């Protein structure tokens, strides 16, 4: 058993005993880890504020084999998530990104780019950029890193290009994983009818968030509600349940 060193973002923390916590960290080099932090709940914790939720820290841990929890031996704060003290929306968005990463990843599964995306998004939330955009850009980038990006150009059923219907709307299949043409509609469950503005917004968000041109795109007011409905339905259908923090993101719909 060797001690591993890396940078990490704290995505979950639960009390384990009177003096210890179990912390879930998303690390730069090892993906998600779940570790015991002995003494973390003491008044004079050796970890100080380095294990606060959404904090970014240098950590040292001992990886245990098979299903045993890893052991966290050191944590030193690099940056704390401050915007939570100023704005609830920002705080809930930060918690939501942490929950997303927690729910959609397995321990010790390396996922290149996820640490950096989460890190950058938390910094932007802290700088009070537009939270609806930061959340959507993160969701799309993260889904792409997981290989689950929904399709907004081609039909999720047959792969052909999808035209909007005469009323200017599209069909989105949450379970199918993207837009649907009328031929692929029969038998599909969890289908939403969405505006073409919303489809354009998703297309632009996917291209622009990949190229980091985040100042050049926006979520039109008319699509804000639909964007959340589409993302939430799609994400819930992937894991078969609703994420807890989704109930706290109403501000993103306005
Ligand atoms: Zn089709």
């Amino acid at each position: 058993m060797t001690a591993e060193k890396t940078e990490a973002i704290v995505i979950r923390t639960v009390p384990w005993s009177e003096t210890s916590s179990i912390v879930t960290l998303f690390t730069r080099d090892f993906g998600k880890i779940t570790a015991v932090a002995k003494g973390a709940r003491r008044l004079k914790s050796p970890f100080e504020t380095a294990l606060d939720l959404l904090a970014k820290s240098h950590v040292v841990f001992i990886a245990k084999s098979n299903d045993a929890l890893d052991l966290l031996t050191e944590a030193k704060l690099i940056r704390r998530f401050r915007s939570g003290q100023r704005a609830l929306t920002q705080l809930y968005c930060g918690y939501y990104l942490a929950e997303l990463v927690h729910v959609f990843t397995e321990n010790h599964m390396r996922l290149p780019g996820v640490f950096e995306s989460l890190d950058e998004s938390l910094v932007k939330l802290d700088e009070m950029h537009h939270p609806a955009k930061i959340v959507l850009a993160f969701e799309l980038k993260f889904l792409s890193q997981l290989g689950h990006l929904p399709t907004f150009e081609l039909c999720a059923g047959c792969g052909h290009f999808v035209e909007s219907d005469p009323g200017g709307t599209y069909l989105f299949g949450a379970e199918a994983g993207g837009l649907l043409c009328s031929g692929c509609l029969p038998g599909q469950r969890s289908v939403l009818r969405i505006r073409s503005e919303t489809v354009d917004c998703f297309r632009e968000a996917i291209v622009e968030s990949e190229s980091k041109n985040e100042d050049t795109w926006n979520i039109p007011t008319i699509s804000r509600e639909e964007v959340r409905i589409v993302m939430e339905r799609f994400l819930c259908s992937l894991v078969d349940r609703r994420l807890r923090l989704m109930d706290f993101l109403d501000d993103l719909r306005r």
Side-chain angles (χ1 to χ4, degrees), residues 154-162 179-185:
L154 307 177
C155 170
C158 64
H160 289 118
F161 189 76
V162 186
L179 298 184
L180 289 168
C181 71
S182 52
C184 291
L185 184 62

Side-chain angles (χ1 to χ4, degrees), residues 201-222:
C201 168
F202 275 115
R203 288 175 178 166
E204 203 182 1
I206 288 169
V207 174
E208 299 300 330
S209 61
E210 285 298 335
S211 65
K212 300 198 173 185
N213 270 337
E214 282 167 31
D215 291 329
T216 58
W217 65 282
N218 229 318
I219 306 175
T221 319
I222 198 171

Side-chain angles (χ1 to χ4, degrees), residues 67-83:
D67 283 344
L69 292 168
D70 297 334
L71 180 67
L72 190 75
T73 56
E74 279 179 57
K76 229 179 163 109
L77 185 74
I78 300 171
R79 184 191 71 230
R80 74 161 46 126
F81 186 71
R82 290 164 298 119
S83 68

Side-chain angles (χ1 to χ4, degrees), residues 92-109:
Y92 290 144
C93 290
Y95 287 169
Y96 170 66
L97 301 192
E99 187 184 12
L100 260 187
V101 171
H102 176 58
V103 170
F104 281 84
T105 60
E106 302 286 339
N107 279 340
H108 300 275
M109 178 170 108

Side-chain angles (χ1 to χ4, degrees), residues 5-253:
K5 251 186 198 179
T6 185
E7 285 174 26
I9 292 167
V10 183
I11 57 173
R12 192 163 186 260
T13 167
V14 285
W16 189 50
S17 71
E18 203 119 302
T19 55
S20 304
S21 298
I22 293 179
V23 291
T24 307
L25 310 171
F26 199 89
T27 68
R28 189 187 285 280
D29 305 299
F30 305 92
K32 184 172 80 175
I33 66 162
T34 303
V36 176
K38 289 187 179 162
R41 303 188 67 216
R42 286 212 183 95
L43 215 50
K44 285 200 165 176
S45 156
F47 305 107
E48 296 177 340
T49 55
L51 298 182
D52 289 353
L53 206 51
L54 306 179
K56 179 184 181 182
S57 299
H58 289 291
V59 298
V60 180
F61 72 98
I62 295 167
K64 296 289 173 75
S65 51
N66 49 54
D67 283 344
L69 292 168
D70 297 334
L71 180 67
L72 190 75
T73 56
E74 279 179 57
K76 229 179 163 109
L77 185 74
I78 300 171
R79 184 191 71 230
R80 74 161 46 126
F81 186 71
R82 290 164 298 119
S83 68
Q85 297 160 359
R86 304 192 295 257
L88 263 187
T89 302
Q90 254 79 0
L91 182 69
Y92 290 144
C93 290
Y95 287 169
Y96 170 66
L97 301 192
E99 187 184 12
L100 260 187
V101 171
H102 176 58
V103 170
F104 281 84
T105 60
E106 302 286 339
N107 279 340
H108 300 275
M109 178 170 108
R110 286 172 204 234
L111 283 166
V114 171
F115 177 86
E116 289 75 7
S117 308
L118 181 61
D119 191 25
E120 282 167 21
S121 302
L122 291 176
V123 169
K124 283 188 199 139
L125 281 173
D126 237 352
E127 291 167 353
M128 311 294 273
H129 289 275
H130 198 306
K133 253 174 77 172
I134 300 170
V135 168
L136 179 62
F138 179 81
E139 287 169 324
L140 295 171
K141 237 183 282 181
F142 183 50
L143 284 167
S144 154
Q145 286 153 343
L146 293 173
H148 284 302
L149 189 66
T151 60
F152 290 98
E153 298 278 351
L154 307 177
C155 170
C158 64
H160 289 118
F161 189 76
V162 186
E163 304 271 3
S164 67
D165 62 25
T169 59
Y170 287 86
L171 296 168
F172 179 87
E175 288 190 7
L179 298 184
L180 289 168
C181 71
S182 52
C184 291
L185 184 62
Q188 288 290 341
R189 293 188 305 161
S190 198
V191 177
L192 301 162
R193 184 172 289 281
I194 56 176
R195 296 169 198 277
S196 59
E197 291 91 337
T198 307
V199 172
D200 291 341
C201 168
F202 275 115
R203 288 175 178 166
E204 203 182 1
I206 288 169
V207 174
E208 299 300 330
S209 61
E210 285 298 335
S211 65
K212 300 198 173 185
N213 270 337
E214 282 167 31
D215 291 329
T216 58
W217 65 282
N218 229 318
I219 306 175
T221 319
I222 198 171
S223 293
R224 287 201 183 136
E225 170 108 31
E226 269 184 7
V227 162
R228 292 319 310 151
I229 293 171
V230 167
M231 285 318 293
E232 292 185 5
R233 278 273 201 104
F234 176 67
L235 290 163
C236 294
S237 78
L238 285 177
V239 285
D240 250 348
R241 67 181 176 89
R242 192 167 164 79
L243 273 66
R244 208 168 56 88
L245 262 302
M246 283 177 175
D247 293 337
F248 294 84
L249 301 181
D250 282 353
D251 279 359
L252 306 189
R253 295 171 179 246

